[in-house]
Amino acid sequence: MTQRALLVINPTAGGGRAVAAAPIVQDVLRSHGWVVRAIRSRNSDEATRIAAEADSDEVVASLGGDGMHALVARGAVISGARFAPLPGGRGNDFVRAVGAPRDPAAAAAALRVAHERRIDLGEVNGAPFLGVVSIGFSALASQIAARSRIPGPLAYHTAAVRTMARVSPFQFDVTIDNRTIHWSGYELAIGMSGWYGGGLNICPQARLDDGLVDLTFVATRKRGFAQVMARAFHGTHIDMPGVATDQGSLVEVQDVSDGPSLVYADGDPVGTLPVAVRVRPAALRLLA
């Protein structure tokens, strides 16, 4: 049976990395017997619409960054098509999380032997996400990284250093499945896959198919915060002093500090607090 792929390309992802990789990705797919049609999305709504209008027997391959993958995934849920993320952004954290190659050509070639499985889709105030909702330190760092001309994951790492010099503790009321806690600290990460920031496994206990989001709270002293984030590259930070974890199917966060507190999801801005984070269990057919 002939395999058909719909390649959705983000023309702005990775400073043009996705556009540059698109011809190579198409050639690789066709060399492995795929029939390919490619479309560039002009905006977020169009990325979702393209995937939503796909045939259910197509593989919708998203060539872009983490935010693009979430938008295309939401459309694939509507059409019932299989979804395949291909690395075309800076951090490529969702590609890392599902174990796919982080080279676009290699990731395209790997689809020939990829397996389908059902995974959850997260929503934050109605916006889709697959990786992490960032509140606090990492949201500020994401804002700086988005304006950076530095290529690849280094943009996030440099932004983190700049953010640390000016950040102060935040205060939030966090409700997890009807349990409310008052929390003060530097970072609140709510994870589906648990990866963000160009290689940090901030929620290492997160699973894409358990119907839950995992939370990581970092309330350590400022002088110890850098060490916590450094150990997050290996997911070994959760046993450190000042770090706590939790999980639930519905998470609501209210700002009780001076605010407004920024909220990012998969590296893209969502708005400011308050937010509600929900899970759509087993909504997405992942091919990876």
Side-chain angles (χ1 to χ4, degrees), residues 83 104 159 166 178 183 186 191 238 249 253 274:
F83 164 74
R166 72 185 205 193
N178 299 317
W183 177 80
Y186 287 101
I238 59 173
S249 59
V253 185

Side-chain angles (χ1 to χ4, degrees), residues 9 48 54 156-157 171 284:
I9 306 158
T48 297
Y156 295 105
H157 306 162
Q171 295 184 58
L284 183 62

Side-chain angles (χ1 to χ4, degrees), residues 38-104:
I39 303 177
R40 292 191 187 187
S41 67
R42 292 172 293 186
N43 52 54
S44 58
D45 289 341
E46 188 170 62
T48 297
R49 180 186 60 77
I50 292 167
E53 294 175 353
D55 293 336
S56 60
D57 62 349
E58 284 185 300
V59 172
V60 179
S62 171
L63 181 58
D66 294 323
M68 171 74 167
H69 296 328
L71 293 166
V72 173
R74 176 165 61 180
V77 169
I78 296 170
S79 65
R82 289 170 292 168
F83 164 74
L86 300 177
R90 279 178 169 167
N92 297 311
D93 286 299
F94 186 67
V95 169
R96 178 184 285 104
V98 300
R102 294 196 296 277
D103 172 77

Side-chain angles (χ1 to χ4, degrees), residues 134-143 163-164 166-174 181-189 217-220 222 225 253-264 272-273:
S134 306
I135 305 172
F137 168 84
S138 60
L140 293 174
S142 292
Q143 184 182 54
T163 302
M164 178 47 58
R166 72 185 205 193
V167 72
S168 299
F170 302 87
Q171 295 184 58
F172 306 133
D173 280 341
V174 185
I181 60 174
H182 178 74
W183 177 80
S184 177
Y186 287 101
E187 173 72 351
L188 170 57
F217 302 85
V218 182
T220 185
K222 189 171 183 177
F225 185 77
V253 185
Q254 300 271 349
D255 194 343
V256 294
S257 58
D258 293 334
S261 292
L262 294 174
V263 180
Y264 271 65
T272 59
L273 294 178

